[in-house]
Amino acid sequence: MRLSRLAFLATLALSSVSIATPAFAQVTLKMWSIDGDNGLYTKLVEDFNASQSDIVVESRLLPFDDLVNEALKAFATGQAPDIISLDNPDFALFSSRGAMLDITDRVANSDVIDTSVYYEGPLASASWDGKLYGLPKATNTIALFYNKDLFAKAGIAEPPKTWDELLEDARKLNDPANNVYGITWSARAGEEGTFQFLPWVQMGGGSFKEVNTPGAVKALEIWKTLLDEKLASQDVLSLGQWDSTGTFNAGNAAMAISGPWELGRMATDAKFDWGVALLPTETEGGPRSSAMGDFNLGIFATSQHPDEAFKVIEYFASQSDRLFPEFSNIPPRSDIPLPSTGDARTDAALKVFQEQLQYAQPRGPHPEWQKISKAIYDAFQAALTGQMSPKDALDQAQATISGIVG
């Protein structure tokens, strides 16, 4: 049975009380995670340390683009931390190589963690070969933000439902005289770019194993048209999602493709009326998709303190009801309703994101996801910068991916 957060903290506190335990028995754990995420890791680690006295977690925050490579180097040299938070498609890279601790039995015997309430997709991303190697910290996806004021000014009654409508709306909304682009998103050469492009591939009849379908080529042609016609800033080639959405929040883009992590600052920063819509599909009523994002917590197999590390995993799980109110993270569990925020726009947006999550598909899982992702983002970068045609770029990516997945 899953304990409440209060009960878990009480149990943890009681377990730390032992007259015979000397002070030097305190265990220190090292934990690596990404820099950012609205301060979630810093705050929860601080709260865990304050909740008991047996375990001290030392947190290291790394840039998103550096985390995997730094972790691989650390594991190879015997310097891996005890706990790590990895982007969900990267988890298979580590678990398939024996780098992560199998926590299947620990979770099954836990009074804190109940896997039956976790969404299938996020939980599957922490699994490999029938075993559980981690636990989803949260989940997210992407949808279309739009500036209702600019839509009204342009005479557009509703957000676009198809790719062609999105392109036409971007043309109508583009206003160089007032420093307003039609749309913004992240097309950077990295995982964030793949995160944004793969749903278009999937809606175009493809998958991470098949990226050169006619629909996927059309998707990349639309992305290229948006840049060629200057309907989006050239900065989308280098900006991450946080910075590209900042362009929208500032009123300098009429649409943005981004995720629910933006809702907290958008409610404060955006000085206009805004809304969120499902990602447009290739054709009216066509297949939907979106990215499945966020991170999984796991314990390195080399940890000398696996039991203590698992207590940290349990603590994070026990704090799931804090994820959205404090950090704009959506819990990966069905048993935690999202509370009203008091902002009608934010509450309406959350409903859209929850609907969009129904169509979210994972990236992988595959042990060589990093190579697959690179083939994808190299392809759209080559097309968007004019080095190759969209079709040739995706054909080249397909050749690389076929050599990886067989």
Side-chain angles (χ1 to χ4, degrees), residues 28 74 91 114 193 210 226-227 232 299 341 350-351 353 402:
T28 298
F91 217 77
D114 178 3
E210 187 180 7
L226 290 168
L227 280 178
I299 302 167
T341 65
L350 279 172
K351 291 180 180 179
F353 278 114
S402 293

Side-chain angles (χ1 to χ4, degrees), residues 146-158 173:
Y146 64 104
N147 184 321
K148 291 185 176 182
D149 293 343
L150 291 179
F151 267 65
K153 181 180 177 181
I156 305 172
E158 59 183 12
L173 293 159

Side-chain angles (χ1 to χ4, degrees), residues 59 81 86 103 106 117 160-161 169 213 285:
S59 176
L86 289 165
I103 62 171
R106 283 182 167 86
V117 301
K161 295 180 179 179
D169 286 352
T213 63

Side-chain angles (χ1 to χ4, degrees), residues 177-346:
N178 289 299
N179 197 28
V180 175
Y181 289 101
I183 190 170
T184 187
W185 75 99
S186 176
R188 71 182 304 184
E191 189 60 33
E192 286 183 273
T194 299
F195 185 72
Q196 293 247 328
F197 185 62
L198 190 56
W200 292 67
V201 172
Q202 292 160 341
M203 287 187 284
S207 68
F208 77 89
K209 297 179 180 180
E210 187 180 7
V211 300
N212 63 341
T213 63
V217 173
K218 178 182 176 181
L220 188 49
E221 288 172 346
I222 288 176
W223 275 32
K224 182 168 172 54
T225 299
L226 290 168
L227 280 178
D228 287 350
E229 295 186 10
K230 296 182 172 53
L231 306 177
S233 170
Q234 295 296 310
D235 287 347
V236 302
L237 292 167
S238 59
L239 293 180
Q241 295 173 107
W242 182 262
D243 290 328
S244 67
T245 311
T247 304
F248 175 83
N249 291 346
N252 297 125
M255 295 182 285
I257 298 174
S258 197
W261 57 82
E262 297 287 350
L263 293 174
R265 69 162 177 164
M266 192 172 292
T268 302
D269 295 353
K271 308 304 181 185
F272 51 83
D273 193 14
W274 53 269
V276 177
L278 297 176
L279 287 181
T281 54
E282 181 181 5
T283 58
E284 185 81 32
R288 293 194 180 279
S289 183
S290 189
M292 191 188 77
D294 223 286
F295 286 68
N296 297 331
L297 290 162
I299 302 167
F300 270 101
T302 51
S303 173
Q304 298 301 301
H305 304 287
D307 292 336
E308 290 83 357
F310 188 69
K311 287 183 182 293
V312 179
I313 303 294
E314 286 185 314
Y315 179 81
F316 268 73
S318 76
Q319 306 300 299
S320 292
D321 60 334
R322 297 172 59 187
L323 290 179
F324 186 77
E326 296 184 38
F327 309 108
S328 295
N329 277 220
I330 295 179
R333 297 160 45 170
S334 61
D335 63 330
I336 299 179
L338 296 180
S340 172
T341 65
D343 185 313
R345 298 171 305 178
T346 302

